[in-house]
Each structure stands twice: as C-alpha cells, then as structure tokens.
C-alpha cells in the first residue's frame, strides 16, 4: 500500500478523489496532521487541528465488490475503528448506526465512505476515518456529544503512531472482507452496535421522533426496528438514532 503523508490538507477524502482523477491506480493510505475542511456525514465539517486526531483516507481499488455488498464493507471498516478504540480504552465502545464510534455515549470517531460505481460493481472506495485523539475541553458537537481518547484516559497519543496502529486493524478487516467471510463481519458489527435489541429513539426525515426497538442492521445497510409489533426498515438518513444522555 502506498503511503502519502501530509502536513496539512483541505480533506483527505477530497485529496484522495483528486489523486484518483489525476491517475492514482494503487491502494493508498493518505494521512495528514491537519485538515482545514474535513468532511463528516451529511456535509458536516469535521474539526481537524494539528496533532489532535487521526485524519486519514484509504483508497481501495476494489476487485470483486458488488454494490449489493457495499454496506458489509462499511461494517468491516467501522468495526476495525471500533476495535482500534477498544484496544486503547477500557470503557465500552459502540457503533451508532451507520458508522459513528461512541464511548460513554459520546462520539470519538467517524467514517465517511465514498464509492465509485460502474454497473453492478464498485471500482474504487475511499474510506475516510477521523478519530479524536488529544482534544480536551469543549469538544465539537454534532447531534451527538463529542469526546477524545485523551478526555477518556488522560493519556497523550502521538498521531502518527496512532495512524499506523489503526492501519493494522483496517488491514485485518479488509483481508477478512476480501476472504468473503461476511457472516463474521456482520456478527462483529452487531457485537458493537449501540442499543442492539434495546429501545431507541429515532429522528425521522420530518424531524419527528419515535420510540422503537432496534432489531439489527441488514446487509443492505438498512436499520431494522420493531414499532407497534411490526418490523420496519429505514435507510440512512431517512432515520437517525438519537443518543440520550442522563
């Protein structure tokens, strides 16, 4: 895998897309000490100051990834990040569907995966990963409160060391996905799934809230919930899980 180390960039995902347009053809890991225009879900900015976190993107030129399996790939990548965080923090780590990583119900990491599709196949996946390492004080809030590795443990985390430690988890997850062991990936994702088989609040597209039981996440990426005795599937962002704090 080609390594591309940067001091500062607008967004590692944006830079990855630029490199692909310019002719990049090999799997690559792009990482930067700082992002000036980091991107999160639904167009949100991801605050990315020097040394505060992991800001990286993996470029994978996929060989046999069908569009129908793209969310299983998402599950593999999200689980890799959850496992990395779990290796550093004693507190319980959870994945909030589809791919926010939580510690103590606070967001510590997130993923943004962008796929290029040709016919029934995905040709290139850009996997953007952001992990809060050393932020302290008031952390950036989206819909979920934020935290960092340092805020949870009191320790400092050298960013480049953390990048390569995370890379080991991602490498293992990618190899498992390429082996076709999708059942194992789905099972591990559900072992980290926030509020699995429990009551959750969903915010629907019309901004109304509803209380349901989370039944699981399907291989197509839809969330399965039980509402008034009936199973209903929602795709993101048709519905979003609300994290409640006591």
């Amino acid at each position: 895998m080609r390594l591309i180390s940067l001091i500062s960039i607008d967004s590692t995902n944006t830079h990855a897309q630029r490199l692909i347009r310019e002719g990049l053809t090999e799997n690559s890991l792009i990482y930067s000490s700082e992002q000036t225009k980091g991107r999160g879900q639904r167009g949100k900015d991801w605050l990315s100051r020097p040394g505060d976190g992991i800001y990286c993107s993996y470029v994978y030129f996929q060989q046999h990834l069908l569009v129908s399996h793209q969310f299983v790939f998402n599950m593999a990548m999200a689980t890799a990040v959850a496992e990395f965080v779990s290796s550093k923090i004693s507190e319980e780590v959870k994945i909030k569907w589809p791919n926010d990583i939580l510690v103590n119900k606070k967001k510590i990491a997130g993923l943004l995966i962008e796929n290029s599709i040709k016919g029934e196949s995905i040709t290139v996946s850009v996997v953007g990963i952001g992990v809060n390492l050393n932020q302290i004080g008031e952390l950036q809030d989206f819909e979920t409160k934020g935290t960092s590795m340092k805020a949870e443990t009191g320790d400092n985390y050298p960013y480049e060391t953390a990048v390569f430690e995370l890379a080991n988890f991602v490498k293992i997850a990618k190899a498992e996905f390429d082996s076709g062991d999708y059942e194992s990936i789905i099972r591990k994702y559900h072992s980290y799934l926030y509020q699995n088989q429990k009551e959750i609040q969903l915010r629907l597209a019309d901004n109304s809230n509803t209380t349901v039981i989370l039944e699981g996440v399907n291989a197509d990426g839809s969330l399965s919930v039980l509402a008034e005795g009936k199973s209903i599937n929602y795709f993101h962002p048709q519905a979003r899980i609300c994290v409640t704090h006591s």
Side-chain angles (χ1 to χ4, degrees):
M1 173 169 280
R2 180 180 176 185
L3 300 179
I4 302 173
S5 176
L6 305 167
I7 296 173
S8 182
I9 196 66
D10 50 357
S11 155
T12 57
N13 263 35
T14 300
H15 189 60
Q17 299 289 2
R18 278 196 297 265
L19 293 178
I20 293 167
R21 290 194 299 270
E22 292 169 3
L24 181 68
T25 58
E26 57 187 312
N27 291 346
S28 302
L29 167 56
I30 302 163
Y31 61 99
S32 180
S33 175
E34 176 188 35
Q35 287 187 138
T36 58
K37 295 182 180 179
R39 292 185 288 133
Q41 293 289 339
R42 303 189 309 280
K44 298 284 188 179
D45 291 336
W46 182 279
L47 188 61
S48 312
R49 294 175 295 208
D52 268 357
I54 296 174
Y55 320 120
C56 67
S57 295
Y58 291 81
V59 179
Y60 287 117
F61 290 88
Q62 306 282 11
Q63 300 299 315
H64 306 290
L65 177 52
L66 297 176
V67 171
S68 58
H69 294 153
Q70 63 180 311
F71 196 79
V72 181
F73 178 69
N74 188 114
M75 287 178 168
M77 296 294 102
T79 301
V81 180
E83 289 178 330
F84 164 72
V85 174
S86 292
S87 75
K88 300 294 183 183
I89 291 179
S90 60
E91 301 292 337
E92 190 173 52
V93 177
K94 291 295 181 181
I95 300 172
K96 180 171 77 75
W97 172 80
N99 50 20
D100 283 351
I101 313 301
L102 307 181
V103 173
N104 290 325
K105 296 186 177 182
K106 292 175 285 187
K107 182 174 178 177
I108 199 167
L111 295 86
L112 178 64
I113 300 179
E114 299 175 309
N115 294 312
S116 299
I117 298 172
K118 184 176 182 180
E120 297 298 316
S121 299
I122 291 172
T123 56
V124 187
S125 296
V126 176
V127 182
I129 300 174
V131 182
N132 295 334
L133 293 178
N134 298 313
Q135 294 94 332
I136 56 174
E138 190 67 26
L139 282 153
Q140 184 180 9
D141 282 355
F142 295 111
E143 289 180 335
T144 306
K145 291 182 179 180
T147 190
S148 71
M149 307 268 274
K150 183 173 183 177
E152 296 299 323
T153 67
D155 297 329
N156 285 304
Y157 296 87
Y159 112 88
E160 195 162 31
T161 299
V163 166
F164 290 114
E165 289 176 340
L166 169 63
N168 286 330
F169 287 91
V170 174
K171 180 180 179 180
I172 292 168
K174 179 64 163 57
E176 184 176 28
F177 178 82
D178 289 343
S179 76
D181 191 2
Y182 295 166
E183 287 186 6
S184 175
I185 291 168
I186 293 169
R187 186 167 56 250
K188 282 197 288 187
Y189 180 88
H190 280 84
S191 74
Y192 283 101
L193 185 61
Y194 173 71
Q195 291 295 93
N196 190 26
Q197 304 299 316
K198 296 178 182 178
E199 188 174 274
I200 57 169
Q201 272 208 341
L202 283 184
R203 180 160 299 157
L204 304 180
D206 62 1
N207 284 325
S208 64
N209 287 357
T210 183
T211 301
V212 296
I213 302 295
L214 195 162
E215 295 184 305
V217 178
N218 301 308
D220 64 2
S222 61
L223 187 74
S224 179
V225 301
L226 186 66
E228 298 180 351
K230 180 180 177 181
S231 287
I232 303 173
N233 292 339
Y234 291 100
F235 284 95
H236 192 271
Q238 291 176 331
R240 304 193 299 276
I241 294 174
C242 302
V243 177
T244 57
H245 294 268
S246 55

